[in-house]
């Protein structure tokens, strides 16, 4: 019996990007530890396999946004791709219903 309190599956950024078309390029992603009102998210610009690793190991690059504004001029490598708790965001601050933490 569903109570409505189930939490979305925690995924690594690498696993999340593998499940998306074009490996998530153009997608906005955030960590479940970031406050939703902060407007903090990454916009993925490039994904490539990690050197000397299995295919599922990815390096991701993109722009970090804070309060809806880019924090740097050029795309940066995204750290913590193997930490759990990444989810996709729809739009500038809305969490995807399927991926958002509850």
């Amino acid at each position: 019996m569903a109570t409505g309190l189930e939490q979305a599956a925690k995924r690594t950024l690498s696993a999340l990007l593998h499940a998306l078309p074009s490996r998530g390029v153009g997608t906005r992603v955030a960590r479940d530890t970031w406050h939703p009102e902060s407007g903090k998210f990454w916009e993925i610009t490039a994904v490539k396999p990690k050197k000397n690793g299995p295919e599922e190991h990815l390096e991701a690059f993109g722009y970090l946004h804070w309060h809806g504004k880019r924090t740097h001029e050029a795309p940066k490598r995204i750290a913590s791709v193997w930490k759990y708790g990444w989810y996709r965001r729809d739009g500038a601050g809305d969490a995807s219903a399927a991926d958002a933490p509850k």
Side-chain angles (χ1 to χ4, degrees):
M1 179 166 70
T3 63
L5 299 176
E6 293 81 15
Q7 183 165 345
K10 294 206 174 212
R11 294 188 274 182
T12 64
L13 180 58
S14 189
L16 176 64
L17 295 177
H18 263 293
L20 297 172
S22 302
R23 288 197 173 155
V25 173
T27 303
R28 295 174 177 183
V29 296
R31 296 286 313 274
D32 61 0
T33 56
W34 298 344
H35 195 280
E37 292 180 16
S38 71
K40 186 175 181 180
F41 62 90
W42 281 96
E43 181 181 353
I44 306 296
T45 59
V47 178
K48 64 181 184 177
K50 193 167 175 95
K51 292 179 183 177
N52 302 323
E55 185 180 321
E56 67 269 6
H57 291 196
L58 299 176
E59 286 187 308
F61 300 84
Y63 294 107
L64 179 64
H65 292 257
W66 180 259
H67 294 291
K69 297 181 182 168
R70 283 187 183 172
T71 60
H72 40 76
E73 298 278 327
K76 301 274 186 188
R77 183 171 119 359
I78 300 173
S80 306
V81 296
W82 285 103
K83 288 188 178 181
Y84 286 88
W86 287 93
Y87 65 96
R88 193 180 80 222
R89 297 183 74 112
D90 292 333
D94 303 325
S96 168
D99 293 330
K102 295 182 173 75

